[in-house]
């Protein structure tokens, strides 16, 4: 995909997303999406939870917190995220460099629709999530009135294979996640799900 090899595209996207008035206008015009929901979810993050944020982009959800691990495949995005955090990892979402059951929470905002195999990415995120931990994110979906624009961006190499909201639920269920909640705003679906089991105390965990 172009996000790793096209630094100008990545930079322009990040500038737009980081600018709140511009992102609000663009999200509504392009996707009929109220991006306020995303900002509220980010603001509600638990700073004590050991969190993996991938793709972190330029650091929209990042806080200067050593328990927030920001990861992305794009070196350009990581350079931009460096302004907000010291815990950065260049990583492939399909093959994360972390042991199984590492994180209390995994975040994947606005990234799944850029992937060729979103289902595989969700399975890998579930692998590194602790039992009892939470997976949370947002993704564009097909079947919500913006399919022609999605197809155009697929043709240009900016998007991978986004599914419908029903596909997203199936992918989460297949990853053996439970307590699934989907919330739709325009062509964007926010989701939360939990990995079954008992969560360990986040205070005793660390990422090397």
């Amino acid at each position: 995909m172009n996000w790793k090899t096209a630094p100008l595209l990545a930079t322009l996207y990040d500038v737009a997303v980081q600018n709140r008035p511009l992102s609000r206008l663009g999200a509504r015009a392009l996707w009929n999406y109220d991006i306020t929901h995303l900002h509220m979810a980010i603001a509600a993050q638990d700073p004590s939870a050991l969190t993996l944020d991938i793709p972190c982009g330029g650091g929209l959800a990042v806080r200067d917190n050593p328990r927030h691990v920001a990861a992305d495949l794009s070196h350009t995005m990581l350079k931009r995220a460096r302004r907000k955090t010291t815990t950065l990892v260049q990583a492939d979402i399909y093959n994360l460099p972390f042991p199984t059951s590492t994180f209390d929470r995994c975040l994947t905002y606005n990234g799944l629709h850029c992937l060729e195999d979103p289902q595989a990415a969700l399975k890998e995120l579930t692998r590194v999530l602790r039992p009892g931990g939470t997976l949370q994110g947002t993704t564009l979906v097909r079947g919500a009135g913006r399919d022609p624009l999605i197809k155009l961006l697929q043709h240009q190499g900016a998007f991978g294979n986004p599914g419908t909201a029903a596909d997203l639920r199936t992918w989460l269920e297949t990853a053996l996640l439970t307590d699934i909640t989907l919330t739709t705003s325009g062509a964007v679906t926010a989701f939360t799900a939990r990995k079954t089991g008992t969560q360990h105390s986040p205070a005793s965990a660390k990422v090397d």
Side-chain angles (χ1 to χ4, degrees):
M1 300 301 293
N2 288 348
W3 299 101
K4 182 179 180 181
T5 59
L8 179 59
L9 174 64
T11 299
L12 290 176
Y13 169 81
D14 183 55
V15 168
V17 169
Q18 299 282 353
N19 183 302
R20 286 210 173 191
L22 184 59
S23 66
R24 188 178 300 114
L25 179 63
R28 180 64 73 182
L30 293 173
W31 309 112
N32 193 28
Y33 174 49
D34 183 0
I35 203 169
T36 302
H37 297 310
L38 174 60
H39 293 148
M40 290 174 63
I42 292 172
Q45 290 174 189
D46 178 2
S48 70
L50 186 61
T51 299
L52 174 64
D53 176 5
I54 183 170
C56 67
L60 182 66
V62 169
R63 299 296 178 266
D64 187 8
N65 177 355
R67 298 186 66 77
H68 190 116
V69 180
D72 205 296
L73 190 63
S74 168
H75 182 65
T76 299
M77 289 299 196
L78 289 173
K79 284 176 63 177
R80 297 184 65 81
R82 187 173 292 120
R83 299 166 299 173
K84 297 186 176 184
T85 183
T86 57
T87 311
L88 296 171
V89 179
Q90 188 166 21
D92 183 344
I93 198 170
Y94 299 123
N95 186 25
L96 296 170
F98 307 109
T100 296
S101 301
T102 296
F103 295 94
D104 303 313
R105 182 178 297 268
C106 289
L107 307 177
T108 181
Y109 291 124
N110 299 336
L112 291 181
H113 51 261
C114 297
L115 303 176
E116 292 294 336
D117 192 348
Q119 184 175 10
L122 289 172
K123 287 184 178 179
E124 179 66 353
L125 288 169
T126 302
R127 180 187 68 79
V128 301
L129 192 64
R130 285 201 178 109
T134 301
L135 174 64
Q136 181 175 334
T138 57
T139 183
L140 286 159
V141 295
R142 294 185 290 105
R146 293 296 192 268
D147 286 8
L149 181 54
I150 288 174
K151 288 180 180 178
L152 175 63
L153 290 169
Q154 285 177 306
H155 180 71
Q156 293 178 342
F159 278 14
N161 289 306
T164 64
D167 292 329
L168 176 59
R169 179 177 290 277
T170 298
W171 297 338
L172 294 168
E173 291 172 343
T174 302
L176 303 181
L177 294 163
T178 61
D179 299 336
I180 297 169
T181 300
L182 304 183
T183 305
T184 298
S185 174
V188 176
T189 294
F191 58 91
T192 60
R194 187 175 64 87
K195 185 173 180 178
T196 57
T198 303
Q199 187 173 19
H200 299 289
S201 170
S204 63
K206 67 178 182 177
V207 173
D208 296 326

